[in-house]
Amino acid sequence: DAKTTQPPSMDCAEGRAANLPCNHSTISGNEYVYWYRQIHSQGPQYIIHGLKNNETNEMASLIITEDRKSSTLILPHATLRDTAVYYCIDSPSETSGSRLTFGEGTQLTVNP
Amino acid sequence: GAGVSQSPSNKVTEKGKDVELRCDPISGHTALYWYRQSLGQGLEFLIYFQGNSAPDKSGLPSDRFSAERTGGSVSTLTIQRTQQEDSAVYLCASSAQGLAGDEQFFGPGTRLTVL
């Protein structure tokens, strides 16, 4: 499975945009970029995913570079409830059931 | 509708005992996954079910671990002769078809403590 690298921690002021970077140096052409987050003591929660194009949903935006070697998750107006560990994952092909390989993630702390 | 549920939420057992952890996936989801999260190890994949079969068991750490799924729905993860290093949060997830673009929905987990 491809490995991603993320900064271990980031801080953001409440109401400001949080931009979380991820490097996908070994991503292959058929692998999606997924973002999940895990709020303390809860199971991981899906945020967004993409293949080549930028994506936006009600939670966040995902910007993927043209070479697909990096991506950025954008939370446009961070709230205190967005404090969580954010995981960037390259999903493997369907032959392995698209299991998720979690790295260390980024601990995002949103400050009042 | 109901999400993924797991039971029990907490389990404390003595070393050497067997434990069973249960997962109820979202109705209609054919793919089911077990992961575990322990201190110092992060979140790691254990096993994947497509229907009642398990095409990927590569994450099971030893032969003390087994899992089954019946009726394409409920799954049970069994740990025999538990060891202290088995202490972790065991998470179950399901997805509609197990395809590359499918979202995985996670349950709240079962916290296992082996004394």
Side-chain angles (χ1 to χ4, degrees):
Chain A
D1 297 343
K3 178 175 171 57
T4 61
T5 55
Q6 301 175 251
S9 64
M10 291 183 63
D11 283 86
C12 177
E14 187 178 18
R16 305 296 293 269
N19 297 287
L20 293 94
C22 179
N23 287 324
H24 317 259
S25 57
T26 59
I27 193 170
S28 63
N30 65 345
E31 289 181 324
Y32 285 79
V33 175
Y34 277 83
W35 283 83
Y36 281 75
R37 74 179 182 183
Q38 188 173 26
I39 296 170
H40 184 62
S41 298
Q42 297 182 22
Q45 176 191 23
Y46 167 84
I47 302 173
I48 198 168
H49 76 280
L51 186 61
K52 294 181 181 179
N53 300 321
N54 298 336
E55 302 287 344
T56 296
N57 63 21
E58 65 278 5
M59 288 183 69
S61 295
L62 174 61
I63 308 299
I64 303 174
T65 58
E66 190 169 345
D67 64 4
R68 305 209 322 126
K69 298 300 184 185
S70 66
S71 69
T72 301
L73 178 75
I74 301 172
L75 307 178
H77 305 287
T79 71
L80 299 180
R81 290 174 296 178
D82 292 323
T83 292
V85 178
Y86 286 76
Y87 296 98
C88 164
I89 301 163
D90 296 340
S91 176
S93 66
E94 294 165 14
T95 54
S96 57
S98 301
R99 69 185 199 192
L100 300 173
T101 301
F102 290 83
E104 300 297 319
T106 296
Q107 170 66 61
L108 174 69
T109 302
V110 181
N111 301 304
Chain B
V4 177
S5 61
Q6 294 185 245
S7 60
S9 55
N10 282 284
K11 176 71 176 179
V12 180
T13 190
E14 294 179 347
K15 178 182 174 181
K17 300 282 189 180
D18 297 352
V19 295
E20 285 189 353
L21 312 179
R22 177 188 168 104
C23 172
D24 280 273
I26 292 173
S27 178
H29 280 193
T30 63
L32 185 147
Y33 309 79
W34 283 97
Y35 298 84
R36 74 174 177 181
Q37 187 169 32
S38 50
L39 287 175
Q41 295 295 325
L43 262 156
E44 57 178 335
F45 165 82
L46 297 178
I47 187 170
Y48 155 64
F49 285 92
Q50 182 59 253
N52 291 336
S53 63
D56 188 355
K57 307 178 183 180
S58 62
L60 294 178
S62 76
D63 58 8
R64 295 186 296 105
F65 287 72
S66 63
E68 65 175 10
R69 189 178 183 195
T70 56
S73 181
V74 172
S75 176
T76 303
L77 177 70
T78 301
I79 309 173
Q80 296 178 310
R81 305 181 302 281
T82 52
Q83 303 295 313
Q84 289 182 332
E85 62 263 28
D86 300 334
S87 295
V89 176
Y90 288 81
L91 292 155
C92 175
S94 70
S95 71
Q97 298 179 66
L99 300 178
D102 284 353
E103 171 185 351
Q104 290 188 25
F105 296 84
F106 282 79
T110 293
R111 180 174 297 278
L112 175 66
T113 303
V114 182
L115 301 176

